[in-house]
């Protein structure tokens, strides 16, 4: 047997899985449904170890040995022999949303479950294993233990705000599904101190290991199930005069009809389109972490192939193969299914921004435009006019070639109109300053205004032919416009406008370029060819040679390696299941039948040509059907009661990890990209605001005054998909699934699959040390040694006089009140009579004798005079060694 021991981060609660290894082809897993303490799990493993030794009392031959330490289960997979378990063995923290950590998978391990004695070998098993492992789980797969990454922030926070009465009625139904019979008994003893927790089902479309968990989903406790997404996740810190604002970009790639560039085009028979990615930008004030008390805002937009039956034949070996429409679809059946999915998830209006070419000498991209216009026109006949699909065609390539037109200015106009129609999500009501000084643009904003804030209704769907270069630039411009509104709604800027060449926009642009490069590598096989700078026409001349290399790289990947990647994706996602007596994956002439289910069997229900939407969707528009409170949606929720002080719902413990040794050098919030450190020029004596436009010659400089270092950090960030984490990250982070339950191993601290890319230049390092010490004039813009003017001195004297005369407090009453406070607690006594002032008089805490002795011992130790260890110290150390290693 294999025993899988999983713990919470603090290692105070444990669960145990027993995996049977005697079955050659079946998966037998027993979840014993009990939550163990550390002592109990240690005793359990000790008994197992003792019972499985070859000879009783022989200490050398262990009956229980550790196979691997891991951070989570990706899933279970079977080809032609027995099952494998896929485990996450290395992770790296990539973002933090309200105290919930988001990790990137850095390395995985596949372990064959059945024992060698019962193994039935098959000659093709090894090849299937190679094909499966061709999907590199260490590149851009993300997971979170406590945050649902498959849903948007708006969905997650809307579900949290469900009325308590509804939840209480739901708990009676879910009580019988409770795994641990002791869980509910413990709650009643607390006397009403319970709080309700909600767990929603993940959105299957964006989960990539759904098929791998299918075999165990109904038998294991939900804490074992870890859902992973594929795409991109990046986070940067925007410092506004020291106030930390986290800008997060999460891209979720659809697992339906997934694949590579020329092999997956258009849509399948179920309305899932190729290269469909949902991009969400989340903005929040990191000085308050809690979802209930903090300020959070998000904006979602989508990219995806044109929802028609179309393809491109790559056998011709042309860089741009001709576009062919594979099936006639006069009633827009596929487009109807696709837009129905979008209405359910996002509400209305759905806005299509179509960037394909309109005018061409030879009809190529225009074929798609004409068909899409016809489909949208047909579908709009049956929708109410206020919820109609909005279609915006804009030939971006034609405008780029024109010398008279500025592409980004035109995109900005489109972005403004789009954000005004859809609105955005913010979890707090409009601030008082926007009511006092209303902005005309703010009053025209769409979306849905509720008592708790604003909701985004509808979504922008952008497409070109590949949905890579042009789409990324258009999405950046819409995201930049939405970012301005988000900052304004949180009270951080006075007008909802952001200009280029400010630190904030440059930070956001870099996030979007990383996002575009990553998505382009996944679908097209190369990084972006045309970037935002290309369309701004400020790209350096060296960029042209890089563009040519990326074009060649994309062509090579599409021609030679995409077919193998497509096979791997089909096997990983469970689209193809190997079985005896059927053709192997590599023998199939095409995977068309795997992705189009209607080619193998006819559907029993036929969709109406006129009422093409799901029942109930129209009733709730413009709100998305998935977010409204209905019986169908409530069935997707699991409700559980927790103790008020339960460690599982304690955000402070989860985020700060007080039980671990923290090093500032490795703390994620200090290491992330920072607008002040990485983007602000060094001579910012005039204005340190991230919303100030910098001169072009300033923008290339960082705080270090070193261009090469800036390039190095960008390069290291770009290669985040392949570079291993710092060696100590694994040692610091606590194991979630651990085979021994106590100690951690950091074997293989460096990833075997990848090599970090680092650029260093010794010539510039000497310059850094020279520029560290700067004059106060350079840093602050004023010389502090100057004597203040007479006017300033007079104002200061007046301020002192006010403080002495009006803000006095009777010292006698102060001493009397201090007796009521506990000893060694700092007493804060307000000096000001005005409640809004926060000036306090502080009494220093009194240190007791024992503390002073410890302090003196510490000083002596620093000088080399060690005190002899007492009896208590020896006993404590011996107990520690026994618990840790024996």
């Amino acid at each position: 047997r294999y025993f899988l021991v999983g713990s919470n981060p603090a290692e105070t609660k444990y669960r145990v899985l027993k995996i049977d290894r005697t079955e050659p082809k079946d998966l037998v897993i027993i979840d014993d449904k009990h939550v163990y303490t550390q002592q109990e799990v240690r005793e359990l493993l000790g008994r197992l170890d003792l019972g499985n030794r070859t000879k009783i009392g022989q200490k050398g031959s262990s009956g229980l040995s550790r196979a691997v330490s891991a951070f989570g289960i990706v899933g279970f997979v079977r080809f032609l022999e027995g099952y494998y378990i896929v485990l996450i063995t290395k992770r790296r923290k990539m973002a933090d949303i309200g105290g919930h950590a988001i990790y990137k998978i850095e390395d995985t391990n596949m372990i064959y479950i059945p024992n060698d004695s019962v193994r039935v070998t098959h000659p093709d098993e090894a090849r299937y294993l190679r094909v499966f492992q061709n999907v590199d789980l260490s590149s851009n797969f993300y997971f979170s233990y406590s945050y649902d990454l498959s849903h948007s922030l708006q969905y997650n926070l809307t579900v949290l705000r469900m009325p308590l009465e509804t939840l209480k009625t739901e708990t009676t139904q879910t009580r019988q599904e409770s795994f641990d019979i002791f869980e509910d008994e413990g709650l009643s003893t607390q006397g009403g101190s319970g709080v309700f927790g909600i767990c929603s089902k993940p959105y299957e479309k964006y989960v990539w290991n759904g098929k791998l968990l299918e075999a165990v989903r109904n038998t294991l406790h939900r804490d074992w199930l870890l859902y992973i997404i594929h795409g991109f996740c990046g986070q940067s810190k925007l410092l506004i005069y020291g106030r930390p604002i986290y800008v997060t970009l999460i891209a979720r790639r659809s697992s339906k009809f997934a694949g590579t560039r020329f092999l997956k085009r258009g849509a399948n028979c179920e309305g899932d389109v190729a290269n469909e990615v949902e991009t969400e930008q989340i903005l929040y004030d990191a000085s308050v972490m809690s979802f209930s008390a903090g300020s959070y805002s998000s904006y979602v937009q989508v990219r995806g192939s044109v929802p028609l039956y179309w393809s491109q034949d790559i056998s011709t070996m042309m860089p741009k193969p001709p576009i062919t429409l594979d099936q006639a679809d006069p009633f827009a059946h596929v487009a109807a299914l696709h837009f129905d999915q979008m209405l359910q998830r996002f509400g209305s209006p759905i806005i299509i921004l179509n960037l394909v070419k309109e005018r061409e000498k030879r009809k190529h991209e225009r074929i798609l435009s004409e068909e899409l216009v016809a489909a949208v026109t047909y579908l709009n006949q049956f929708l109410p006019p206020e919820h109609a699909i909005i279609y915006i065609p804009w030939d971006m390539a034609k405008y780029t070639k024109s010398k008279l037109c500025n592409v980004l200015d035109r995109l900005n106009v489109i972005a403004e109109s789009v954000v005004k129609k859809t609105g955005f999500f913010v979890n707090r009501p409009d601030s008082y300053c926007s009511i006092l000084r209303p902005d005309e643009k703010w009053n025209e904003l769409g979306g849905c205004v509720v008592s708790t804030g604003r909701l985004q209704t509808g979504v922008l769907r952008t497409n070109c032919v590949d949905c890579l270069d042009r789409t990324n630039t258009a999405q950046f411009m819409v995201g930049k416009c939405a970012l301005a509104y988000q900052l304004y709604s949180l009270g951080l800027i006075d007008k909802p406008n952001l200009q280029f060449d400010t630190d904030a926009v440059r930070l956001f642009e870099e996030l979007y370029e990383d996002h575009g490069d990553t998505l382009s590598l996944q679908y097209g096989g190369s990084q972006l060819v045309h970037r935002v700078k290309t369309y701004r026409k400020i790209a350096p001349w060296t960029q042209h040679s890089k563009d040519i290399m990326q074009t060649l790289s994309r062509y090579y990947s599409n021609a030679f390696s995409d077919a193998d990647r497509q096979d791997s994706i089909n096997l990983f996602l469970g689209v193809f299941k190997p079985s005896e007596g059927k053709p192997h994956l590599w023998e199939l002439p095409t995977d068309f039948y795997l992705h189009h289910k209607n080619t193998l069997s006819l559907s029993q229900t036929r969709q109406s040509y006129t009422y093409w939407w799901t029942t109930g969707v129209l009733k709730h528009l413009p709100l998305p059907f998935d977010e409204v409170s209905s019986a169908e949606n409530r069935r997707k929720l699991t409700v559980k009661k927790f103790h008020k002080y339960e460690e599982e719902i304690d955000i402070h413990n989860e985020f700060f990890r007080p039980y671990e040794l923290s090093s500032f050098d490795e703390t994620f919030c200090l290491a992330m990209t920072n607008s002040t450190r990485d983007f602000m020029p060094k001579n910012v004596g005039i204005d340190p605001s991230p919303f100030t436009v910098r001169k072009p010659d300033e923008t290339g400089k960082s705080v270090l005054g070193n261009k090469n270092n800036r390039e190095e950090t960008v390069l290291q960030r770009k290669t985040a998909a392949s570079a291993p984490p710092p060696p100590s990250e694994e040692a610091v982070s606590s194991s979630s699934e651990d085979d021994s339950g106590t100690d951690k191993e950091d074997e293989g601290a460096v990833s075997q699959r990848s090599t970090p890319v680092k650029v260093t230049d010794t010539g510039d390092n000497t310059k850094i040390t020279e520029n560290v010490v700067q004059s106060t004039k350079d840093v602050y813009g004023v010389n502090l040694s100057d004597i203040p003017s007479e006017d300033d001195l007079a104002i200061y004297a007046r301020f002192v006089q006010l403080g002495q005369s009006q803000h006095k407090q009777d010292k006698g009453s102060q001493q009397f009140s201090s007796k009521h406070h506990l000893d060694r607690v700092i007493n804060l006594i307000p000096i000001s009579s005005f409640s809004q002032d926060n000036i306090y008089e502080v009494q220093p805490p009194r240190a007791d004798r024992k503390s002073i002795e410890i302090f003196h011992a510490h000083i002596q130790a620093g000088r080399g005079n060690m005190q002899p260890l007492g009896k208590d110290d020896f006993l404590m150390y011996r107990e520690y060694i026994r618990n840790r290693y024996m």
Side-chain angles (χ1 to χ4, degrees), residues 159-178:
V159 163
L160 281 177
R161 288 225 161 91
M162 281 184 71
L164 191 64
E165 292 71 33
T166 318
L167 299 183
K168 282 182 178 172
T169 56
E170 294 292 322
T171 46
T172 54
Q173 298 166 21
T174 55
R175 179 68 58 87
Q176 61 200 24
E177 296 168 20
S178 180

Side-chain angles (χ1 to χ4, degrees), residues 232 249 472 476 508-518 528 530-534 718:
F232 174 80
L249 209 58
N472 201 65
F476 163 73
F508 189 63
E509 185 183 331
E510 193 195 85
L511 260 181
Y512 246 98
E513 291 219 339
D514 286 356
H515 157 268
D517 281 340
T518 307
L528 290 173
H530 303 300
R531 302 170 179 279
V532 177
K533 286 186 176 66
T534 315
K718 285 270 199 276

Side-chain angles (χ1 to χ4, degrees), residues 414-484:
I414 294 171
E416 283 283 354
S417 67
V418 164
V419 177
K420 274 180 187 172
K421 286 185 178 81
T422 62
F424 61 94
F425 169 72
V426 62
N427 75 330
R428 48 176 265 183
D430 292 352
S431 51
Y432 189 56
C433 63
S434 61
I435 298 166
L436 280 179
R437 297 188 299 277
D439 189 275
E440 48 217 46
K441 280 163 69 177
W442 184 253
N443 294 333
E444 295 168 12
L445 199 60
C448 184
V449 182
V450 289
S451 59
T452 54
R454 287 175 174 270
L455 300 177
Q456 179 180 342
T457 57
V459 74
L460 171 69
R461 185 195 190 280
T462 313
N463 73 269
C464 47
V465 177
D466 295 322
C467 304
L468 297 177
D469 302 4
R470 287 174 277 183
T471 299
N472 201 65
T473 304
Q475 282 196 330
F476 163 73
M477 288 304 293
V478 176
K480 171 178 162 286
C481 176
L483 182 72

Side-chain angles (χ1 to χ4, degrees), residues 613-885:
W613 50 86
T614 304
T615 315
V617 167
L618 277 194
K619 190 169 69 174
H620 297 287
L621 288 180
L623 288 173
F625 183 67
D626 285 357
E627 289 173 23
V628 295
S629 182
S630 65
E632 189 181 332
N633 287 340
R634 281 200 294 276
R635 278 197 292 273
K636 297 175 187 173
L637 304 177
T638 309
V639 185
K640 190 185 167 189
K641 203 173 182 185
F642 293 94
H643 298 314
K644 195 187 289 183
Y645 303 111
E646 186 123 20
E647 186 247 322
E648 205 172 332
I649 55 169
D650 186 351
I651 299 170
H652 180 274
N653 270 6
E654 173 70 25
F655 182 74
F656 289 105
R657 304 278 177 99
Y659 41 81
E660 285 181 4
L661 179 67
S662 301
S663 163
F664 279 151
D665 293 339
E666 289 143 21
T667 306
F668 171 74
C669 57
L670 298 178
M672 74 162 79
T673 307
N674 184 317
S675 64
T676 307
R677 184 181 62 222
D678 299 321
F679 292 93
M680 194 163 77
K682 63 171 184 173
N683 53 340
V684 286
I686 308 139
D687 191 356
S689 165
F691 308 115
T692 305
V693 178
R694 312 285 181 207
K695 294 174 192 168
D697 59 333
E698 283 181 333
T699 53
K701 297 174 189 173
S702 68
V703 165
L704 300 172
N706 179 5
K707 190 164 185 271
N708 274 34
N709 259 52
R710 177 81 194 104
E711 284 174 4
E712 179 188 333
T713 51
V714 171
L715 185 58
Q716 283 179 342
R717 182 175 173 138
K718 285 270 199 276
T719 53
S722 62
S728 49
E729 158 68 24
E730 199 173 1
V732 171
S733 50
S734 81
S735 165
S736 185
E737 272 79 31
D738 196 280
D739 279 43
S740 75
T742 50
D743 33 346
K744 306 182 199 80
E745 290 179 2
D746 27 328
E747 297 165 352
V750 179
S751 174
Q752 305 269 326
R753 296 184 179 170
S754 50
T755 318
V757 181
K758 194 168 182 184
V759 179
T760 51
D761 192 338
T762 50
D764 281 333
N765 288 345
T766 51
K767 293 176 192 171
I768 301 169
T769 50
E770 290 169 17
N771 291 334
V772 170
V773 182
Q774 297 171 353
S775 68
T776 52
K777 179 76 176 169
D778 287 345
V779 178
Y780 300 106
V782 291
N783 198 338
L784 298 182
S785 61
D786 290 349
I787 299 165
S789 65
E790 287 184 17
D791 291 346
D792 292 338
L793 283 169
I795 291 167
Y796 179 66
R798 211 175 309 150
F799 173 75
V800 171
Q801 192 178 357
L802 272 170
Q804 285 173 344
S805 58
Q806 294 191 13
H807 295 187
K808 275 184 181 173
Q809 196 173 24
D810 184 21
K811 293 285 177 187
S813 66
Q814 176 186 316
Q815 286 168 0
F816 175 77
S817 65
S818 68
K819 288 174 188 172
H820 295 283
H821 289 78
L822 296 169
D823 283 346
R824 291 172 293 159
V825 173
I826 297 175
N827 298 327
L828 299 177
I829 295 145
I831 296 174
S832 170
S833 350
F834 298 100
S835 59
Q836 291 179 345
D837 279 0
N838 57 352
I839 305 170
Y840 290 100
E841 186 178 277
V842 183
Q843 289 182 337
R846 277 180 253 154
D848 60 3
R849 190 176 157 194
K850 193 175 178 184
S851 301
I852 292 167
E853 283 174 7
I854 292 169
F855 179 67
H856 282 305
H858 178 69
I859 297 294
Q860 292 299 323
R863 292 172 179 164
N865 304 327
M866 294 296 290
Q867 285 191 338
L869 291 171
K871 187 180 176 183
D872 291 346
D873 299 325
F874 274 118
L875 286 170
M876 192 187 293
Y877 182 66
R878 193 174 296 150
E879 185 66 24
Y880 167 78
I881 292 294
R882 188 184 298 124
N883 289 344
R884 184 75 178 170
Y885 299 107

Side-chain angles (χ1 to χ4, degrees), residues 138 500 875:
S138 66
F500 276 106
L875 286 170

